[in-house]
PDB file of all heavy atoms in Angstrom:
ATOM      1  N   HIS B 103      22.750  63.126 -55.658  1.00 97.00           N
ATOM      2  CA  HIS B 103      21.670  62.253 -55.220  1.00 97.00           C
ATOM      3  C   HIS B 103      20.327  62.795 -55.688  1.00 97.00           C
ATOM      4  O   HIS B 103      20.103  64.008 -55.697  1.00 97.00           O
ATOM      5  CB  HIS B 103      21.676  62.164 -53.683  1.00 97.00           C
ATOM      6  CG  HIS B 103      20.636  61.253 -53.137  1.00 97.00           C
ATOM      7  ND1 HIS B 103      19.386  61.692 -52.773  1.00 97.00           N
ATOM      8  CD2 HIS B 103      20.649  59.918 -52.904  1.00 97.00           C
ATOM      9  CE1 HIS B 103      18.674  60.667 -52.340  1.00 97.00           C
ATOM     10  NE2 HIS B 103      19.418  59.581 -52.409  1.00 97.00           N
ATOM     11  N   SER B 104      19.458  61.873 -56.082  1.00 98.00           N
ATOM     12  CA  SER B 104      18.103  62.231 -56.474  1.00 98.00           C
ATOM     13  C   SER B 104      17.132  61.249 -55.849  1.00 98.00           C
ATOM     14  O   SER B 104      17.481  60.093 -55.592  1.00 98.00           O
ATOM     15  CB  SER B 104      17.964  62.198 -57.996  1.00 98.00           C
ATOM     16  OG  SER B 104      16.627  62.456 -58.398  1.00 98.00           O
ATOM     17  N   SER B 105      15.937  61.720 -55.584  1.00 98.00           N
ATOM     18  CA  SER B 105      14.877  60.858 -55.064  1.00 98.00           C
ATOM     19  C   SER B 105      13.614  61.030 -55.893  1.00 98.00           C
ATOM     20  O   SER B 105      13.320  62.131 -56.367  1.00 98.00           O
ATOM     21  CB  SER B 105      14.556  61.184 -53.607  1.00 98.00           C
ATOM     22  OG  SER B 105      15.632  60.868 -52.761  1.00 98.00           O
ATOM     23  N   LEU B 106      12.897  59.929 -56.031  1.00 98.00           N
ATOM     24  CA  LEU B 106      11.575  59.943 -56.646  1.00 98.00           C
ATOM     25  C   LEU B 106      10.585  59.525 -55.572  1.00 98.00           C
ATOM     26  O   LEU B 106      10.751  58.477 -54.949  1.00 98.00           O
ATOM     27  CB  LEU B 106      11.509  58.973 -57.829  1.00 98.00           C
ATOM     28  CG  LEU B 106      10.144  58.837 -58.502  1.00 98.00           C
ATOM     29  CD1 LEU B 106       9.778  60.130 -59.225  1.00 98.00           C
ATOM     30  CD2 LEU B 106      10.145  57.671 -59.493  1.00 98.00           C
ATOM     31  N   HIS B 107       9.604  60.373 -55.317  1.00 98.00           N
ATOM     32  CA  HIS B 107       8.591  60.087 -54.314  1.00 98.00           C
ATOM     33  C   HIS B 107       7.249  59.854 -54.995  1.00 98.00           C
ATOM     34  O   HIS B 107       6.905  60.554 -55.966  1.00 98.00           O
ATOM     35  CB  HIS B 107       8.441  61.261 -53.337  1.00 98.00           C
ATOM     36  CG  HIS B 107       9.717  61.670 -52.671  1.00 98.00           C
ATOM     37  ND1 HIS B 107      10.316  60.933 -51.681  1.00 98.00           N
ATOM     38  CD2 HIS B 107      10.500  62.763 -52.878  1.00 98.00           C
ATOM     39  CE1 HIS B 107      11.416  61.543 -51.291  1.00 98.00           C
ATOM     40  NE2 HIS B 107      11.554  62.654 -51.998  1.00 98.00           N
ATOM     41  N   ILE B 108       6.507  58.889 -54.480  1.00 98.00           N
ATOM     42  CA  ILE B 108       5.137  58.652 -54.941  1.00 98.00           C
ATOM     43  C   ILE B 108       4.238  58.789 -53.720  1.00 98.00           C
ATOM     44  O   ILE B 108       4.399  58.065 -52.726  1.00 98.00           O
ATOM     45  CB  ILE B 108       4.967  57.258 -55.559  1.00 98.00           C
ATOM     46  CG1 ILE B 108       5.976  57.052 -56.697  1.00 98.00           C
ATOM     47  CG2 ILE B 108       3.534  57.072 -56.073  1.00 98.00           C
ATOM     48  CD1 ILE B 108       5.975  55.650 -57.285  1.00 98.00           C
ATOM     49  N   THR B 109       3.323  59.732 -53.772  1.00 97.00           N
ATOM     50  CA  THR B 109       2.379  59.897 -52.665  1.00 97.00           C
ATOM     51  C   THR B 109       1.104  59.119 -52.958  1.00 97.00           C
ATOM     52  O   THR B 109       0.735  58.921 -54.117  1.00 97.00           O
ATOM     53  CB  THR B 109       2.035  61.381 -52.463  1.00 97.00           C
ATOM     54  OG1 THR B 109       1.388  61.861 -53.651  1.00 97.00           O
ATOM     55  CG2 THR B 109       3.287  62.215 -52.212  1.00 97.00           C
ATOM     56  N   ALA B 110       0.461  58.636 -51.891  1.00 97.00           N
ATOM     57  CA  ALA B 110      -0.795  57.886 -52.024  1.00 97.00           C
ATOM     58  C   ALA B 110      -0.685  56.821 -53.114  1.00 97.00           C
ATOM     59  O   ALA B 110      -1.432  56.828 -54.098  1.00 97.00           O
ATOM     60  CB  ALA B 110      -1.948  58.841 -52.322  1.00 97.00           C
ATOM     61  N   SER B 111       0.260  55.910 -52.945  1.00 97.00           N
ATOM     62  CA  SER B 111       0.541  54.920 -53.995  1.00 97.00           C
ATOM     63  C   SER B 111      -0.688  54.069 -54.322  1.00 97.00           C
ATOM     64  O   SER B 111      -1.568  53.842 -53.484  1.00 97.00           O
ATOM     65  CB  SER B 111       1.707  54.029 -53.565  1.00 97.00           C
ATOM     66  OG  SER B 111       1.387  53.352 -52.369  1.00 97.00           O
ATOM     67  N   HIS B 112      -0.686  53.605 -55.566  1.00 97.00           N
ATOM     68  CA  HIS B 112      -1.817  52.845 -56.105  1.00 97.00           C
ATOM     69  C   HIS B 112      -1.267  51.652 -56.874  1.00 97.00           C
ATOM     70  O   HIS B 112      -0.148  51.727 -57.409  1.00 97.00           O
ATOM     71  CB  HIS B 112      -2.610  53.770 -57.042  1.00 97.00           C
ATOM     72  CG  HIS B 112      -3.900  53.198 -57.496  1.00 97.00           C
ATOM     73  ND1 HIS B 112      -3.998  52.336 -58.573  1.00 97.00           N
ATOM     74  CD2 HIS B 112      -5.159  53.346 -57.012  1.00 97.00           C
ATOM     75  CE1 HIS B 112      -5.252  51.982 -58.729  1.00 97.00           C
ATOM     76  NE2 HIS B 112      -5.978  52.576 -57.795  1.00 97.00           N
ATOM     77  N   PRO B 113      -2.017  50.543 -56.944  1.00 96.00           N
ATOM     78  CA  PRO B 113      -1.517  49.389 -57.706  1.00 96.00           C
ATOM     79  C   PRO B 113      -1.072  49.732 -59.134  1.00 96.00           C
ATOM     80  O   PRO B 113      -0.150  49.106 -59.658  1.00 96.00           O
ATOM     81  CB  PRO B 113      -2.712  48.429 -57.703  1.00 96.00           C
ATOM     82  CG  PRO B 113      -3.376  48.691 -56.398  1.00 96.00           C
ATOM     83  CD  PRO B 113      -3.247  50.184 -56.199  1.00 96.00           C
ATOM     84  N   ARG B 114      -1.679  50.718 -59.756  1.00 95.00           N
ATOM     85  CA  ARG B 114      -1.264  51.062 -61.120  1.00 95.00           C
ATOM     86  C   ARG B 114       0.123  51.707 -61.164  1.00 95.00           C
ATOM     87  O   ARG B 114       0.700  51.875 -62.241  1.00 95.00           O
ATOM     88  CB  ARG B 114      -2.273  51.986 -61.795  1.00 95.00           C
ATOM     89  CG  ARG B 114      -2.414  53.332 -61.153  1.00 95.00           C
ATOM     90  CD  ARG B 114      -3.335  54.234 -61.969  1.00 95.00           C
ATOM     91  NE  ARG B 114      -3.588  55.500 -61.281  1.00 95.00           N
ATOM     92  CZ  ARG B 114      -4.640  55.713 -60.504  1.00 95.00           C
ATOM     93  NH1 ARG B 114      -5.548  54.765 -60.319  1.00 95.00           N
ATOM     94  NH2 ARG B 114      -4.802  56.887 -59.904  1.00 95.00           N
ATOM     95  N   ASP B 115       0.685  52.060 -59.995  1.00 96.00           N
ATOM     96  CA  ASP B 115       2.055  52.573 -59.947  1.00 96.00           C
ATOM     97  C   ASP B 115       3.085  51.443 -60.032  1.00 96.00           C
ATOM     98  O   ASP B 115       4.287  51.698 -60.121  1.00 96.00           O
ATOM     99  CB  ASP B 115       2.300  53.350 -58.647  1.00 96.00           C
ATOM    100  CG  ASP B 115       1.424  54.582 -58.539  1.00 96.00           C
ATOM    101  OD1 ASP B 115       1.155  55.219 -59.586  1.00 96.00           O
ATOM    102  OD2 ASP B 115       0.993  54.900 -57.412  1.00 96.00           O
ATOM    103  N   SER B 116       2.628  50.200 -59.973  1.00 97.00           N
ATOM    104  CA  SER B 116       3.542  49.065 -60.044  1.00 97.00           C
ATOM    105  C   SER B 116       4.277  49.088 -61.382  1.00 97.00           C
ATOM    106  O   SER B 116       3.662  49.058 -62.448  1.00 97.00           O
ATOM    107  CB  SER B 116       2.777  47.748 -59.885  1.00 97.00           C
ATOM    108  OG  SER B 116       2.142  47.687 -58.622  1.00 97.00           O
ATOM    109  N   ALA B 117       5.589  49.141 -61.300  1.00 96.00           N
ATOM    110  CA  ALA B 117       6.420  49.285 -62.495  1.00 96.00           C
ATOM    111  C   ALA B 117       7.875  49.237 -62.059  1.00 96.00           C
ATOM    112  O   ALA B 117       8.181  49.140 -60.870  1.00 96.00           O
ATOM    113  CB  ALA B 117       6.135  50.616 -63.204  1.00 96.00           C
ATOM    114  N   VAL B 118       8.766  49.310 -63.024  1.00 95.00           N
ATOM    115  CA  VAL B 118      10.188  49.493 -62.734  1.00 95.00           C
ATOM    116  C   VAL B 118      10.513  50.964 -62.970  1.00 95.00           C
ATOM    117  O   VAL B 118      10.183  51.515 -64.032  1.00 95.00           O
ATOM    118  CB  VAL B 118      11.067  48.599 -63.628  1.00 95.00           C
ATOM    119  CG1 VAL B 118      12.546  48.876 -63.369  1.00 95.00           C
ATOM    120  CG2 VAL B 118      10.748  47.122 -63.380  1.00 95.00           C
ATOM    121  N   TYR B 119      11.151  51.586 -61.995  1.00 97.00           N
ATOM    122  CA  TYR B 119      11.510  52.995 -62.087  1.00 97.00           C
ATOM    123  C   TYR B 119      13.030  53.076 -62.300  1.00 97.00           C
ATOM    124  O   TYR B 119      13.813  52.499 -61.546  1.00 97.00           O
ATOM    125  CB  TYR B 119      11.077  53.742 -60.828  1.00 97.00           C
ATOM    126  CG  TYR B 119       9.573  53.825 -60.751  1.00 97.00           C
ATOM    127  CD1 TYR B 119       8.836  52.762 -60.206  1.00 97.00           C
ATOM    128  CD2 TYR B 119       8.888  54.911 -61.275  1.00 97.00           C
ATOM    129  CE1 TYR B 119       7.448  52.802 -60.175  1.00 97.00           C
ATOM    130  CE2 TYR B 119       7.506  54.964 -61.251  1.00 97.00           C
ATOM    131  CZ  TYR B 119       6.796  53.909 -60.707  1.00 97.00           C
ATOM    132  OH  TYR B 119       5.417  53.949 -60.682  1.00 97.00           O
ATOM    133  N   ILE B 120      13.407  53.793 -63.333  1.00 95.00           N
ATOM    134  CA  ILE B 120      14.799  53.833 -63.769  1.00 95.00           C
ATOM    135  C   ILE B 120      15.317  55.259 -63.684  1.00 95.00           C
ATOM    136  O   ILE B 120      14.657  56.203 -64.128  1.00 95.00           O
ATOM    137  CB  ILE B 120      14.927  53.334 -65.227  1.00 95.00           C
ATOM    138  CG1 ILE B 120      14.400  51.900 -65.354  1.00 95.00           C
ATOM    139  CG2 ILE B 120      16.369  53.430 -65.712  1.00 95.00           C
ATOM    140  CD1 ILE B 120      14.250  51.431 -66.798  1.00 95.00           C
ATOM    141  N   CYS B 121      16.498  55.386 -63.098  1.00 95.00           N
ATOM    142  CA  CYS B 121      17.192  56.668 -63.029  1.00 95.00           C
ATOM    143  C   CYS B 121      18.269  56.681 -64.113  1.00 95.00           C
ATOM    144  O   CYS B 121      18.957  55.672 -64.313  1.00 95.00           O
ATOM    145  CB  CYS B 121      17.815  56.784 -61.639  1.00 95.00           C
ATOM    146  SG  CYS B 121      19.015  58.092 -61.423  1.00 95.00           S
ATOM    147  N   ALA B 122      18.407  57.770 -64.810  1.00 93.00           N
ATOM    148  CA  ALA B 122      19.450  57.893 -65.825  1.00 93.00           C
ATOM    149  C   ALA B 122      20.114  59.254 -65.693  1.00 93.00           C
ATOM    150  O   ALA B 122      19.435  60.252 -65.478  1.00 93.00           O
ATOM    151  CB  ALA B 122      18.868  57.738 -67.227  1.00 93.00           C
ATOM    152  N   VAL B 123      21.444  59.282 -65.797  1.00 92.00           N
ATOM    153  CA  VAL B 123      22.159  60.548 -65.721  1.00 92.00           C
ATOM    154  C   VAL B 123      22.744  60.894 -67.075  1.00 92.00           C
ATOM    155  O   VAL B 123      23.098  60.014 -67.861  1.00 92.00           O
ATOM    156  CB  VAL B 123      23.261  60.535 -64.645  1.00 92.00           C
ATOM    157  CG1 VAL B 123      22.668  60.265 -63.278  1.00 92.00           C
ATOM    158  CG2 VAL B 123      24.348  59.533 -64.972  1.00 92.00           C
TER     159      VAL B 123
END
Side-chain angles (χ1 to χ4, degrees):
Chain B
H103 182 268
S104 176
S105 293
L106 176 68
H107 305 287
I108 305 174
T109 63
S111 60
H112 189 276
R114 64 174 174 266
D115 297 325
S116 298
V118 176
Y119 291 84
I120 301 169
C121 167
V123 300

